[in-house]
Amino acid sequence: MRLVEGEADEMCSFVQQKGLVNLLRAFAVWHTRRMNTLTLSNRYKNHRFPTEIISHGVWLYYRFCLSYRDVEELLFVRGVIVSYEAIRKWCRKFGQEYANQLRRRRPRPGDKWHCDEVFLTIQGERHYLWRAVDQDGHILDILVQRRRDKTAAKKFFRKLLKTCRYTPRVIITDKLKSYGAAKREMLPSVEHRQHRYLNNRAENSHQPTRQRERRMQGFKSSGHAQRFLAAYGPIAQHFRLRRHLLPAPKYRQEMENRFHIWQDITAFPTAA
């Protein structure tokens, strides 16, 4: 795909007239690699801002504990004048798409699944957030439901198997009986361990969700919680390395690689 030279010049003149910081250097771009995502012109059609600004706004919102108005202010400091409502629409439109691309590119998770559920109070009603992580703490999938009975557990397992596309070696849960009943029907050959302290890894994975929930002053609906958490998990975890296990040079190199992946999936042009 080629960026027309006249369009690039027009974008530069627009940025200079408005007194904005030019975050996107204008140059001709050729894409010779085949991608699973839509073409750049189709994905960002009818958007007034360049691709780099849109992806940067989405990254700020999901990577850090920020509100839409916080992201608006951070972009304003860099000379980008955009409303928080536009940022909300960017995150709604592109957040899940970016998360899906990151999930496809990650290595295969571990064969030991830690499953847990935590309650969410939404509009005065109790809901349950079902979450599964592997032995390294990588989030496999989440599901927001009203119940935590056998039917809810089976629905969560079906979604988990559809996302991961492989069968685990071991499943570790708490002592909720719904897990055992659903596991006997859907995963009869998988080992099941139930203990109070074996599932600390899954319980600790709820902490970032609680932080965002407090920052957002709660979720508006179960659909809102499902949409946000489904995109938030892969994007935030992509940039959240286990820093205490890596020396500084290796950590910086790994972060650089992950930012290259982010640039690739968001499909904005980079210098050759």
Side-chain angles (χ1 to χ4, degrees):
M1 174 183 177
R2 184 176 62 185
L3 182 64
V4 179
E5 187 175 355
E7 295 178 354
D9 296 338
E10 183 180 352
M11 177 61 69
C12 287
S13 62
F14 170 78
V15 170
Q16 292 174 0
Q17 292 174 3
K18 297 297 183 180
L20 305 181
V21 178
N22 187 5
L23 298 178
L24 180 61
R25 295 192 301 272
F27 44 80
V29 178
W30 294 84
H31 278 286
T32 58
R33 292 175 297 173
R34 187 173 182 178
M35 299 182 64
N36 294 327
T37 57
L38 298 175
T39 61
L40 186 63
S41 59
N42 292 332
R43 294 176 67 189
Y44 301 99
K45 186 178 181 180
N46 299 327
H47 285 274
R48 182 164 60 95
F49 288 90
T51 309
E52 186 175 9
I53 294 179
I54 295 176
S55 62
H56 187 67
V58 174
W59 174 75
L60 284 174
Y61 180 69
Y62 284 110
R63 175 61 182 89
F64 304 102
C65 193
L66 302 173
S67 65
Y68 294 124
R69 293 182 185 271
D70 293 334
V71 178
E72 176 188 7
E73 184 176 346
L74 289 173
L75 291 178
F76 177 76
V77 172
R78 300 187 63 179
V80 180
I81 302 175
V82 58
S83 68
Y84 72 92
E85 183 64 20
I87 297 171
R88 184 189 69 82
K89 292 181 179 180
W90 294 349
C91 295
R92 179 79 177 265
K93 180 176 180 179
F94 298 107
Q96 188 61 57
E97 183 179 349
Y98 293 164
N100 292 339
Q101 291 295 323
L102 289 175
R103 186 180 288 111
R104 295 188 188 103
R105 288 169 176 260
R106 71 182 180 184
R108 176 173 170 171
D111 59 355
K112 184 185 294 185
W113 292 358
H114 296 256
C115 302
D116 191 45
E117 76 289 338
V118 65
F119 72 89
L120 299 174
T121 302
I122 303 175
Q123 299 293 333
E125 298 182 0
R126 175 162 292 190
H127 294 70
Y128 295 94
L129 170 62
W130 299 69
R131 188 194 307 272
V133 300
D134 66 0
Q135 62 264 38
D136 297 319
H138 299 144
I139 299 176
L140 304 176
D141 208 347
I142 62 100
L143 182 62
V144 179
Q145 302 186 89
R146 290 180 177 270
R147 300 181 181 276
R148 57 173 183 172
D149 53 8
K150 176 183 174 181
T151 303
K154 290 175 64 176
K155 184 177 180 180
F156 176 60
F157 280 150
R158 281 195 296 268
K159 188 174 188 298
L160 192 57
L161 291 171
K162 183 179 180 180
T163 301
C164 297
R165 299 182 180 180
Y166 71 95
T167 302
R169 178 178 56 88
V170 179
I171 292 180
I172 300 176
T173 67
D174 55 19
K175 295 186 177 181
L176 182 66
K177 295 183 179 179
S178 302
Y179 286 116
K183 180 261 172 189
R184 283 191 293 271
E185 291 189 12
M186 302 192 63
L187 299 168
S189 61
V190 176
E191 181 183 355
H192 186 198
R193 301 175 186 173
Q194 289 181 299
H195 194 272
R196 180 179 179 183
Y197 299 107
L198 285 178
N199 212 28
N200 287 342
R201 187 172 297 279
E203 294 175 357
N204 292 337
S205 68
H206 297 306
Q207 294 178 3
T209 300
R210 289 301 192 194
Q211 295 173 0
R212 291 308 300 261
E213 182 186 18
R214 288 192 296 268
R215 186 66 181 86
M216 300 168 67
Q217 299 181 358
F219 298 108
K220 297 179 179 61
S221 64
S222 59
H224 175 222
Q226 179 68 36
R227 286 193 304 270
F228 171 78
L229 295 174
Y232 167 72
I235 295 177
Q237 196 165 57
H238 179 72
F239 296 99
R240 188 178 294 135
L241 302 179
R242 304 175 73 180
R243 178 66 181 85
H244 62 288
L245 300 180
L246 298 174
K250 189 173 182 180
Y251 171 77
R252 288 191 288 268
Q253 180 63 38
E254 181 62 26
M255 286 299 296
E256 183 178 356
N257 294 337
R258 299 203 176 196
F259 274 110
H260 284 317
I261 295 175
W262 176 257
Q263 293 173 4
D264 195 13
I265 67 168
T266 55
F268 64 76
T270 56

